[in-house]
Amino acid sequence: MNSSTSPVSAAGSNCAERPVPPPLWLLAELTYACPLQCPYCSNPRDYPSVRDELDTAQWIDVLRQARALGAVQLGLSGGEPATRRDLETIVQEARALGFYSNLITSGLGLDARRIEALRAAGLDHIQVSFQAADAVLNDRIAGTRSFEHKLAVARAVKDAGFPMVLCFVLHRLNLHQIPAMLALAEALGGDYVELATTQYYGWALANRTALLPTREQLRQAEIDVAAFRAAYDGPMKIYYVVPDYFEGTPKACMGGWARLHLTIAPDGTALPCHAARVLPDLVFPNVRQQSLAEIWHGAPAFNRYRGTAWMQPPCSTCPKREVDFGGCRCQAYLLAGEATAADPACRLSPHHGRVLEAIDTARREGDAAPLIFRNPRNATREISSADLS
């Protein structure tokens, strides 16, 4: 099918037929393997059951099909994508196909030599994540000594001529470090710094009480960001968004369900977003059995929440329904028990009280709440968040 004229199938969702735009962004989750144990990890909690990863040839085939569909931007993620020995080969193929490629990494598995090899292969962009602005808190949250290595990798990324992009995942335990995070990014020569709000799926949902910040913390965080921006006169761009739990309005998750974004999981499962596996009423196709064109245009799971015709009140009558697309389907299911419900982050949702209750519980119990850490050996360990202060 031609991507400019292919209609959206009703697929049980009462979607009106309309042209399906191409997937502009492909997120290739190359592996769920990771040396870190972050308690906010977005990988599914049963990630050890995903063992049959796509091999090099299969990933290259995915890239070729996605490019033919119209995808132009490629994210290489995980887990930790640098654990893949074929990363350079995949990057080289992406460059040959014309993708703008971005490596999303913890830095572990990289050194100056490999960074140069990735540059030679044609990688465009590297984003290095930090858990905090100092070694003590960073390493405790990550579950491993990694801060000093991250610093070395960030410097090597800059030396290799890549844009210096740093990401700090924000939550209750590290929000107070925003001034130090921004100072660190400036000292490293950052071109971009993303102050990324924790999204409450997977491990983060299991740890929500320990990770949700207080309203006071968020007010101070906004003051801190504004103060840095006012005093800073350099070229570094700062991205910071208030968590949707506290805004009362939902985000346009992934730009709308199966509208712009396509995720391929390590085992080849195709998803409209990286968290969609949580939805129990959908069967997601696999690139081993179907072409990406068939999946993108015709798979019932991809058509289920496209557009707005599937919506029920208050979303169906909301003037912003073509702006936020009803918010996040995964969050709706996890908090309201129904994927067709209005995202409970929205103050108009009949389930918004569950978000307010979670915020209140975190306010009262967060400092003493245990953290469950992801563990690559298929185990978990618990630690009180008070131990990280």
Side-chain angles (χ1 to χ4, degrees):
M1 289 184 175
N2 185 305
S3 63
S4 65
T5 59
S6 172
V8 174
S9 165
S13 65
N14 299 316
C15 285
E17 289 194 354
R18 62 174 64 187
V20 180
L24 299 180
W25 168 266
L26 172 67
L27 179 65
E29 292 187 308
L30 300 180
T31 180
Y32 286 148
C34 184
L36 303 188
Q37 301 183 37
C38 304
Y40 53 76
C41 180
S42 63
N43 289 167
R45 292 192 67 188
D46 64 348
Y47 74 91
S49 66
V50 180
R51 300 181 182 276
D52 189 16
E53 295 181 354
L54 298 181
D55 62 25
T56 308
Q58 289 169 322
W59 273 118
I60 287 175
D61 186 52
V62 166
L63 297 186
R64 290 172 179 170
Q65 290 188 58
R67 190 71 182 92
L69 270 176
V72 295
Q73 189 151 339
L74 171 67
L76 299 167
S77 180
E80 174 47 65
T83 62
R84 292 276 305 217
R85 296 182 179 180
D86 57 356
L87 180 59
E88 290 84 349
T89 301
I90 292 170
V91 166
Q92 188 172 28
E93 181 64 21
R95 167 50 66 93
L97 290 168
F99 275 107
Y100 183 91
S101 57
N102 175 24
L103 179 64
I104 304 165
T105 177
S106 68
L108 277 71
L110 296 179
D111 56 20
R113 185 166 58 93
R114 196 171 190 200
I115 289 167
E116 285 291 348
L118 288 166
R119 186 184 63 81
L123 187 66
D124 294 294
H125 182 120
I126 299 179
Q127 175 183 298
V128 182
S129 67
F130 282 79
Q131 281 65 44
D134 66 74
V136 173
L137 187 56
N138 181 96
D139 295 352
R140 286 181 177 175
I141 293 172
T144 185
R145 292 181 180 176
S146 56
F147 184 76
E148 294 301 328
H149 183 78
K150 287 172 179 285
L151 291 179
V153 166
R155 294 181 181 115
V157 167
K158 185 75 174 179
D159 290 345
F162 286 103
M164 169 54 65
V165 185
L166 302 176
C167 176
F168 297 88
V169 179
L170 301 179
H171 44 77
R172 182 189 194 93
L173 305 176
N174 64 7
L175 263 178
H176 64 285
Q177 287 198 340
I178 281 181
M181 291 172 182
L182 293 171
L184 175 62
E186 182 182 12
L188 289 170
D191 297 295
Y192 305 89
V193 57
E194 180 180 358
L195 301 173
T197 296
T198 296
Q199 299 295 309
Y200 293 98
Y201 315 100
W203 297 89
L205 183 62
N207 288 301
R208 186 176 61 182
T209 297
L211 295 176
L212 261 177
T214 64
R215 295 185 186 276
E216 292 73 22
Q217 280 184 298
L218 286 176
R219 280 194 286 269
Q220 186 60 50
E222 291 187 77
I223 291 170
D224 291 339
V225 172
F228 184 88
R229 283 174 169 157
Y232 177 68
D233 61 358
M236 183 173 70
K237 293 180 171 56
I238 303 164
Y239 299 96
Y240 172 63
V241 179
V242 175
D244 58 359
Y245 269 44
F246 294 85
E247 281 195 301
T249 55
K251 302 290 192 297
C253 187
M254 313 309 291
W257 181 273
R259 188 168 173 268
L260 301 172
H261 178 95
L262 171 63
T263 292
I264 306 299
D267 62 354
T269 300
L271 302 164
C273 76
H274 61 275
R277 285 182 190 263
V278 72
L279 301 177
D281 60 334
L282 297 180
V283 177
F284 292 103
N286 194 290
V287 297
R288 289 183 167 105
Q289 284 81 46
Q290 290 182 264
S291 71
L292 279 188
E294 291 171 329
I295 291 169
W296 184 254
H297 292 298
F302 274 68
N303 286 318
R304 181 65 180 91
Y305 299 112
R306 268 187 173 131
T308 59
W310 58 270
M311 292 179 178
Q312 58 187 12
C315 297
S316 59
T317 56
C318 180
K320 293 186 177 181
R321 63 185 180 277
E322 296 279 1
V323 177
D324 59 34
F325 302 100
C328 177
R329 297 304 89 218
C330 301
Q331 191 156 270
Y333 169 72
L334 290 169
L335 298 186
E338 183 183 357
T340 55
D343 186 337
C346 180
R347 64 173 62 91
L348 300 177
S349 168
H351 305 286
H352 186 58
R354 299 184 185 181
V355 169
L356 299 179
E357 182 182 356
I359 292 172
D360 187 59
T361 298
R363 178 186 61 80
R364 290 182 287 104
E365 303 175 11
D367 288 341
L371 281 170
I372 303 172
F373 286 72
R374 167 188 159 132
N375 191 301
R377 292 177 294 279
N378 192 21
T380 59
R381 61 189 178 93
E382 292 191 4
I383 185 170
S384 169
S385 57
D387 295 333
L388 301 179
S389 61

